[in-house]
Amino acid sequence: MKDPLKIGLAGLGTVGVGVVKILQHHSDLISKRAGRPIQIIAISARDQGKDRGVDLSGYEWVKNFSTMSNHNGLDLVVEMIGGAEGAVKDFVYSSIKNNKHVVTANKALLAHHGADLAQLASDNAVSVGYEAAIAGGIPIVKTLREGLAANNITGVFGILNGTCNYILTEMRETGRDFEDVLKEAQDKGYAEADPTFDVDGIDAAHKLTLLTALGFGVKPDFGALSITGIRDVSADDIKFAADMGYKIKLLGIAKRSGDKILQRMEPCLVKKTSAIGNVEGVFNAVCVKGDFVNEVLNVGPGAGEGPTASAIVADIIDIARGNVPPMFGVDAKTLQHASWADANDIQSACYLHLEVKDQSGVIADITSVLKNHNVSINKFIQPGFNDNGTESIVMITHKGQYKDILAGMIALEKLDSILTKPKHLRVEEI
Ligand code: HSE
């Protein structure tokens, strides 16, 4: 058997402890699969004295994780601290410069600096493994970079945040509003005390940025992404969508649109009966469309100790085997700046939700505005009075130019009979 691969772990939170557990528990199995033993040499975390429920006594304790980047006894460092800038970024950069492989779950770092890191890793002949950064335990990096390497990828889309999917599922099943479900999720420890990254779509957008880079061979470009989270999705929207045969999901979408790429993160309506519509609770799902394979859907746990550590150890095993494909599936030098499609050019059906005064002629006024903006109605319901005495009108449009629908929304808002800002969500046909 070859020499062991010697590794250092920076960060011993939930995921770090999971990695230790797997490497201890499956040490023989992993040695056989990797063709060489994988040895934890050094570990680092803020609190050395804390009982983490695993035996850490055989490992060298490193006070400052940054110093692992030039530790002579290490071939690979696992970064499990997080953050796109500062000491963690410096640690990853200097580890690569010192010819150490890096495995990380740090989606923010990669979404902001991925192209640069891919070039640096290539220049230093090391690998940056990041399977754990996208959709936790789902092996989507391997799927896109290796399993589907024969295909021209035409689209990648998915449910990339378990917290949002849990909240939307719970809202639908119980009829409760966003704030109420979020609070309960926080009390139970499912959602972070500061939920911003999750519910505003940023965490999922980091992941989509990487999926787009992998799928289309372009530089990760987080700044180019249009991001809308789930705060404005109401219990009513979820109920009205259900009445018309749909569920609302926070979807990350990247697809070819002519010679451009359309990339968006937003709550969308999907058919209740669709495969992705049936991915519920904390689960994640990523669907890839390729010209020869047609469509592949991967569903699984997107977070948590076991799934995330499983993805990290898979990367370590790959590196131990010497399987080191380019970070985004093509030589870093050939990664292109993407040409992004304009949202105005999207062809889409939309869900519209209007709160109106209950008076004669309201529907005539609304349909007249929509007609003037080339918006054609496919489904229409008037579910009844709301608690505050207003009336809701809900529609699904036929597929049309998104810019026409946006213009129609602006014109509708000016009508006297429309009481609140009209709401629209795209219907994604998948
Ligand atoms: N907070 C994420 C989620 C997992 O809720 O899915 C880590 O990205």
Side-chain angles (χ1 to χ4, degrees):
M1 208 175 253
K2 289 194 220 152
D3 287 346
L5 181 81
K6 296 179 179 160
I7 72 171
L9 307 181
L12 286 172
T14 312
V15 175
V17 168
V19 170
V20 174
K21 281 186 194 163
I22 295 180
L23 290 173
Q24 290 181 348
H25 193 77
H26 282 323
S27 123
D28 290 344
L29 180 74
I30 287 171
S31 295
K32 271 193 210 142
R33 289 195 173 144
R36 58 199 286 205
I38 291 168
Q39 281 179 2
I40 302 175
I41 300 294
I43 53 176
S44 181
R46 221 178 273 155
D47 180 0
Q48 184 171 359
K50 184 173 168 185
D51 179 7
R52 295 176 166 84
V54 281
D55 179 9
L56 301 172
S57 58
Y59 313 135
E60 176 192 342
W61 188 271
V62 174
K63 253 196 175 155
N64 178 355
F65 70 89
S66 302
T67 61
M68 277 195 211
S69 66
N70 55 14
H71 187 305
N72 285 333
L74 300 178
D75 304 311
L76 180 154
V77 294
V78 187
E79 184 273 301
M80 295 172 286
I81 300 169
E85 307 296 335
V88 166
K89 180 185 166 203
D90 295 345
F91 170 61
V92 169
Y93 272 74
S94 49
S95 298
I96 296 172
K97 285 180 189 157
N98 290 328
N99 303 106
K100 296 191 193 319
H101 300 287
V102 174
V103 173
T104 178
N106 190 338
K107 61 218 76 148
L109 175 73
L110 303 180
H112 288 279
H113 304 291
D116 202 20
L117 283 166
Q119 187 59 58
L120 194 65
S122 164
D123 292 346
N124 289 278
V126 295
S127 181
V128 177
Y130 59 102
E131 189 65 80
I134 315 173
I138 301 177
I140 190 61
V141 176
K142 205 161 194 63
T143 299
L144 271 167
R145 196 166 58 183
E146 296 175 53
L148 299 178
N151 289 266
N152 181 23
I153 303 299
T154 52
V156 185
F157 55 87
I159 294 173
L160 300 172
N161 186 273
T163 306
C164 287
N165 206 41
Y166 169 82
I167 291 173
L168 292 172
T169 303
E170 197 67 13
M171 285 172 72
R172 199 191 70 252
E173 286 177 351
T174 64
R176 286 149 66 210
D177 245 316
F178 170 79
E179 290 296 345
D180 192 19
V181 175
L182 171 63
K183 176 152 188 337
E184 186 193 72
Q186 285 171 316
D187 291 345
K188 287 183 174 169
Y190 301 158
E192 304 280 344
D194 177 0
T196 311
F197 260 46
D198 288 321
V199 301
D200 291 335
I202 297 160
D203 170 83
H206 286 146
K207 297 168 187 166
L208 179 64
T209 302
L210 301 176
L211 288 174
T212 306
L214 271 166
F216 302 106
V218 296
K219 296 189 180 196
D221 186 0
F222 180 73
L225 183 46
S226 150
I227 308 170
T228 309
I230 63 166
R231 284 185 201 267
D232 291 337
V233 177
S234 69
D236 279 347
D237 290 322
I238 290 179
K239 182 180 179 313
F240 299 153
D243 291 346
M244 292 189 288
Y246 295 91
K247 289 184 185 173
I248 299 179
K249 297 284 177 191
L250 178 66
L251 279 193
I253 300 159
K255 54 185 168 193
R256 288 198 193 279
S257 172
D259 57 357
K260 300 191 170 165
I261 299 168
L262 174 72
Q263 191 189 223
R264 292 174 75 82
M265 173 62 59
E266 61 191 354
C268 295
L269 272 69
V270 296
K271 281 255 164 66
K272 250 188 213 173
T273 48
S274 63
I276 209 143
N278 283 296
V279 176
E280 301 281 38
V282 294
F283 276 83
N284 282 198
V286 187
C287 183
V288 185
K289 292 189 180 184
D291 54 354
F292 279 87
V293 74
N294 193 16
E295 198 169 301
V296 174
L297 178 68
N298 301 259
V299 180
E305 178 184 309
T308 312
S310 157
I312 286 178
V313 176
D315 274 343
I316 299 172
I317 293 172
D318 245 4
I319 292 169
R321 285 171 170 157
N323 179 22
V324 285
M327 199 168 157
F328 294 107
V330 295
D331 187 332
K333 281 195 184 59
T334 70
L335 282 171
Q336 304 283 316
H337 278 293
S339 176
W340 302 111
D342 185 336
N344 281 326
D345 299 333
I346 304 174
Q347 287 282 327
S348 183
C350 273
Y351 157 95
L352 312 181
H353 176 181
L354 313 175
E355 301 274 312
V356 301
K357 284 184 196 160
D358 184 25
Q359 66 187 27
S360 156
V362 171
I363 291 173
D365 290 347
I366 292 169
T367 51
S368 159
V369 167
L370 293 178
K371 178 179 170 223
N372 292 340
H373 289 85
N374 300 316
V375 179
S376 169
I377 300 163
N378 182 13
K379 290 184 179 160
F380 183 104
I381 56 171
Q382 201 173 343
F385 286 109
N386 301 311
D387 293 344
N388 59 4
T390 64
E391 181 103 8
S392 289
I393 287 179
V394 182
M395 290 167 267
I396 303 268
T397 70
H398 280 292
K399 210 168 177 180
Q401 283 274 8
Y402 193 49
K403 69 171 171 224
D404 290 338
I405 292 174
L406 295 179
M409 294 292 97
I410 292 168
L412 281 175
E413 200 176 345
K414 292 184 183 139
L415 292 179
D416 280 347
S417 48
I418 303 270
L419 297 170
T420 54
K421 192 175 163 67
K423 246 187 192 181
H424 71 280
L425 296 170
R426 288 192 319 105
V427 177
E428 194 60 35
E429 282 172 10
I430 45 184

